[in-house]
C-alpha cells in the first residue's frame, strides 16, 4: 500500500527515537545543564513501539532507523531490533549513534538485524572531540567504529556537522580518515534547532565552502549511485570513498522528503524543521485497536508540510534534535 503525503511524496521511512537522553553533551545539541528530559513513563514501551511500526509497515513503510538521543543508552535495544526486524515489510533497519557504546553492542545489534550505521563524529582530535561533546572519549568511539566494521555493518557513514571556527579545519583530515578506513563521509550544515542549535547558528557554514576546500585536495566525481536520503554524493577519484553533502539550509531537499519521525514519547513529527505533529501515546494507552492506529497515522500524514521552516528569520524549531529523532 503506498503511503503518500498531500504533496505526492511517498513516505517509506520512519526515524524512531528511543530516548531523548544522551551520554554526550554536544554544545550545539544538548549542552551541559540541559533540563527537561521526558519522564520515563512517557517513553513508548517496546510493545507500543512494535505496534506503531507494524501500523507503519501496513501503510508501506519498509525502512526504520533507530536514533535518539542516543539509542544505545536505552536498555534492550538489540531485543527491540529483533522484534522490529521480523515485522513483515520492514526490510531495512539502521541506527544513528555516537558510537560511545558501540563496541560492546555491535555484535548483538548486527545479529538482531541492524545492517547500516551512521556515526556522528565532528572531530578526530582527542581534545577537540572532548570539548565539543563535553567530555566524550574519542578512543571509545573509534573502538566502536572498528568493531562495527569488523562485524560487517555496511555502509558505515560518518556524519560530521561542520561548524565555522570549531572544526572546519578538519574537513580534509576527516576525509582522509574515511578513505583510510573505508567509511562513507557526510558533511552536515548546522540547523537552528533547540537551545544549543540556536547558539550554534553563528557557527553555520554553507557546505559549498567545504566542497571548495575538498576540491583543492581531491578530485571529486559526481556519484549518482547513492540515493534514498538527503545527501548529494561525490566520490573521491582513486578511492571507493563517497562523500555526501547534507545541506538543509543552503540547498534544501524537502521535495524528496520520504520520512517521518516518531519521538520517544510517541509524538509523530511530520517534519524536522516544523512543529506539525500528532500524539500517538495517549491513543495507544487508551486502547486504540490496530486498524484505528493505521487510520490515525494515515490521517496524520495529511499534516505533513511542504518544507521546513529553518530559513524563516527568527523561527527555527524550539525542540532539540534529540527529542525529535534527528
Ligand atoms: N545520538 C545519535 C547520534 O549521535 O548520531 C543520534 C541522535 S543525534 C541528535 C543525531 C545527529 O543530530 C547528530 O549527528 C548531531 O550532530 C545532529 N545534530 C544535533 N543538533 C543539530 C543541529 N542543531 N544542527 C545539525 N545537526 C544537529
Amino acid at each position: 500500500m503506498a503511503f503518500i503525503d498531500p504533496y505526492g511524496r511517498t513516505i517509506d521511512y520512519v526515524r524512531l527515537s528511543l530516548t531523548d537522553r544522551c551520554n554526550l553533551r554536544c554544545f550545539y545539541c544538548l549542552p551541559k545543564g540541559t533540563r527537561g528530559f521526558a519522564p520515563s513513563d512517557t517513553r513508548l514501551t517496546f510493545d507500543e513501539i512494535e505496534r506503531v511500526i507494524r501500523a507503519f509497515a501496513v501503510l508501506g513503510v519498509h525502512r526504520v532507523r533507530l536514533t535518539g538521543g542516543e539509542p544505545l543508552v536505552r536498555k534492550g535495544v538489540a531485543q527491540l531490533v529483533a522484534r522490529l526486524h521480523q515485522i513483515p515489510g520492514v526490510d531495512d533497519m539502521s541506527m544513528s549513534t555516537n558510537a560511545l557504546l558501540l563496541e560492546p553492542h555491535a555484535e548483538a545489534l548486527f545479529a538482531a538485524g541492524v545492517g547500516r550505521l551512521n556515526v556522528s563524529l565532528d572531530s578526530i582530535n582527542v581534545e577537540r572531540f572532548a570539548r565539543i561533546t563535553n567530555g566524550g572519549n574519542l578512543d571509545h568511539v573509534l573502538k566502536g567504529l572498528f568493531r562495527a566494521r569488523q562485524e560487517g555493518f555496511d555502509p558505515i557513514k560518518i556524519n560530521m556537522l561542520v561548524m565555522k571556527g570549531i572544526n572546519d579545519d578538519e574537513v580534509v583530515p576527516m576525509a582522509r580518515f574515511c578513505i583510510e578506513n573505508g567509511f562513507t563521509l557526510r558533511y552536515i550544515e548546522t540547523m537552528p534547532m533547540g537551545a544549543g542549535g540556536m547558539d550554534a547558528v553563528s557557527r553555520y557554514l554553507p557546505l559549498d565552502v567545504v566542497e571548495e576546500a575538498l576540491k583543492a585536495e581531491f578530485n571529486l566525481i559526481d556519484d549518482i549511485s547513492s540515493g534514498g536520503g538527503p545527501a548529494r554524493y561525490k566520490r573521491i577519484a582513486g578511492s571507493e570513498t563517497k562523500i555526501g553533502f547534507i545541506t538543509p539550509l543552503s540547498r534544501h531537499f524537502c521535495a524528496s522528503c520520504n520520512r517521518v519521525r516518531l519521538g520517544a514519547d510517541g509524538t509523530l513529527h511530520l517534519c524536522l524543521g516544523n512543529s506539525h505533529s500528532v500524539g500517538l501515546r495517549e491513543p495507544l494507552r487508551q486502547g486504540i485497536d490496530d486498524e484505528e492506529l493505521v487510520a490515525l497515522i494515515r490521517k496524520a500524514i495529511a499534516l505533513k508540510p511542504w518544507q521546513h521552516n529553518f530559513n524563516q528569520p527568527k523561527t527555527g524549531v524550539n525542540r532539540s534534535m534529540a527529542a525529535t529523532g534527528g
Side-chain angles (χ1 to χ4, degrees):
M1 184 185 296
F3 189 27
I4 296 177
D5 83 351
Y7 301 97
R9 297 171 294 195
T10 297
I11 307 303
D12 61 5
Y13 177 30
V14 171
R15 295 179 67 100
L16 171 62
S17 171
L18 294 186
T19 173
D20 60 350
R21 288 158 205 251
C22 188
N23 46 358
L24 289 179
R25 285 290 174 272
C26 300
F27 75 91
Y28 57 80
C29 186
L30 292 176
K32 192 169 175 219
T34 299
R35 306 232 179 289
F37 292 103
S40 54
D41 62 348
T42 62
R43 235 174 20 207
L44 294 192
T45 64
F46 286 179
D47 287 344
E48 289 167 338
I49 291 173
E50 186 180 338
R51 281 197 64 200
V52 175
I53 299 301
R54 278 187 188 279
F56 271 113
V58 168
L59 287 163
V61 165
H62 65 102
R63 299 170 63 190
V64 178
R65 173 174 295 275
L66 306 186
T67 176
E70 172 49 42
L72 294 178
V73 302
R74 180 123 182 218
K75 289 208 170 57
V77 181
Q79 285 97 301
L80 176 68
V81 171
R83 287 173 70 168
L84 301 183
H85 190 53
Q86 44 81 36
I87 294 175
V90 173
D91 60 12
D92 178 37
M93 301 261 331
S94 56
M95 176 176 282
S96 290
T97 173
N98 59 33
L100 267 188
L101 296 173
L102 189 54
E103 192 185 22
H105 280 88
E107 186 180 357
L109 283 176
F110 192 71
V114 173
R116 305 185 295 116
L117 281 182
N118 288 359
V119 172
S120 304
L121 184 59
D122 299 334
S123 175
I124 43 170
N125 172 292
V126 173
E127 288 84 30
R128 183 181 281 171
F129 180 79
R131 254 197 321 278
I132 293 174
T133 58
N134 209 338
N137 183 323
L138 181 62
D139 191 46
H140 292 177
V141 173
L142 298 180
K143 285 196 169 113
L145 269 169
F146 298 141
R147 183 61 211 272
R149 190 181 55 187
Q150 193 186 337
E151 207 54 56
F153 291 92
D154 186 27
I156 298 175
K157 296 179 184 170
I158 303 292
N159 286 341
M160 176 186 185
L161 189 56
V162 188
M163 296 165 284
K164 202 169 29 187
I166 302 281
N167 63 350
D168 49 340
D169 58 342
E170 282 194 73
V171 161
V172 169
M174 190 66 90
R176 294 200 193 288
F177 170 77
C178 289
I179 294 170
E180 277 160 25
N181 291 293
F183 304 133
T184 295
L185 171 58
R186 305 186 320 163
Y187 302 104
I188 304 180
E189 288 177 348
T190 311
M191 293 168 245
M193 284 199 72
M198 298 304 181
D199 292 346
V201 164
S202 60
R203 308 291 187 177
Y204 168 74
L205 193 71
L207 291 187
D208 51 358
V209 177
V210 169
E211 199 168 332
E212 286 312 308
L214 286 171
K215 279 185 189 156
E217 294 288 326
F218 306 109
N219 183 8
L220 297 182
I221 304 166
D222 283 341
D223 188 313
I224 46 163
S225 65
S226 344
R232 187 168 46 82
Y233 278 99
K234 306 267 180 187
R235 198 166 51 76
I236 293 184
S239 82
E240 288 303 307
T241 305
K242 287 178 180 171
I243 304 276
F245 298 87
I246 303 186
T247 52
L249 277 89
S250 66
R251 208 194 288 192
H252 77 73
F253 32 81
C254 299
S256 58
C257 186
N258 59 353
R259 61 200 60 196
V260 291
R261 293 173 163 83
L262 183 65
D265 65 353
T267 304
L268 181 60
H269 298 283
L270 282 318
C271 173
L272 180 62
N274 256 308
S275 48
H276 306 65
S277 64
V278 170
L280 300 184
R281 186 181 73 245
E282 285 317 312
L284 282 165
R285 294 191 180 170
Q286 283 163 10
I288 192 172
D289 72 25
D290 290 344
E291 253 176 54
E292 290 166 335
L293 183 58
V294 170
L296 179 61
I297 294 173
R298 183 189 284 290
K299 204 166 147 208
I301 212 68
L303 296 176
K304 189 168 169 63
W306 169 235
Q307 67 180 68
H308 69 64
N309 215 0
F310 288 140
N311 290 326
Q312 303 298 320
K314 293 196 192 306
T315 54
V317 178
N318 190 17
R319 188 181 68 215
S320 73
M321 198 69 94
T324 315

